[in-house]
Amino acid sequence: MALFRLPSSAPPPLAPRGNGLLLRAPQMSDFPQWAQLREASRAFLTPWEPIWPSDDLTRSGFRRRIRRYEEDMAGDKAYPFLIFREGDNALVGGVTLANVRRGIVQAGTIGYWIGAPFAGQGYMTAALRTLLPSLFGELNLHRVDAACIPSNTASVRVLEKCGFAREGKARRYLCINGVWQDHYLFGLLNEDFRG
């Protein structure tokens, strides 16, 4: 007896490639490289991220993260990507499309991080330029939002280079490093994107 499944409404898995980079969903086999890069970059990332859970860099913590990612992708809620350099398969960072809203909105919010050894070398700008066509294409988004702390000038530059427009400032918007921080709000519309 054959079992039949109705087609999922979630888009197929994405693995954009370009600009010397491959972006794909995290897998358990990525744990050693991911944990090593995150630990080596802890001091660099701490001012810009929420407080890490105590078990964040453990294999079991990563396994829970992967399960949550799989549920989010299956539910068309979020799409996480690790960023690999194609030449040597080095993990350089990550970007996540979260808070996907459908219907009359067709939008999502991106957040990203870069490992300290790879900062300031153009990898995040290249990664977003590689990913955005898939967000507007395969995922059929109308709008991509982003937010960053005003003092994070590197992040502001990345968003501006990728065509995002600063649309305002939200007071005490996100709890970053244990403190409610103001954030600049950015947006990029499908029709404004110049891939």
Side-chain angles (χ1 to χ4, degrees), residues 115-159:
F118 306 103
Q121 299 175 45
Y123 287 114
M124 189 52 65
T125 300
L128 290 184
R129 287 179 174 160
T130 301
L131 179 60
L132 286 166
S134 293
L135 301 186
F136 291 125
E138 290 94 328
L139 293 186
N140 195 32
L141 295 183
H142 166 68
R143 175 185 176 87
V144 177
D145 299 316
C148 70
I149 297 171
S151 61
N152 191 345
T153 55
S155 188
V156 170
R157 279 195 314 272
V158 165
L159 293 169

Side-chain angles (χ1 to χ4, degrees), residues 17-32:
R17 183 182 305 257
N19 299 308
L21 301 173
L22 168 67
L23 285 74
R24 65 161 173 78
Q27 304 166 359
M28 270 312 295
S29 59
D30 298 321
F31 172 72

Side-chain angles (χ1 to χ4, degrees), residues 156-178:
V156 170
R157 279 195 314 272
V158 165
L159 293 169
E160 289 173 344
K161 285 181 194 174
C162 290
F164 283 79
R166 190 176 343 176
E167 298 179 332
K169 184 176 179 181
R171 296 178 306 125
R172 297 169 49 91
Y173 184 62
L174 297 173
C175 189
I176 301 297
N177 195 23

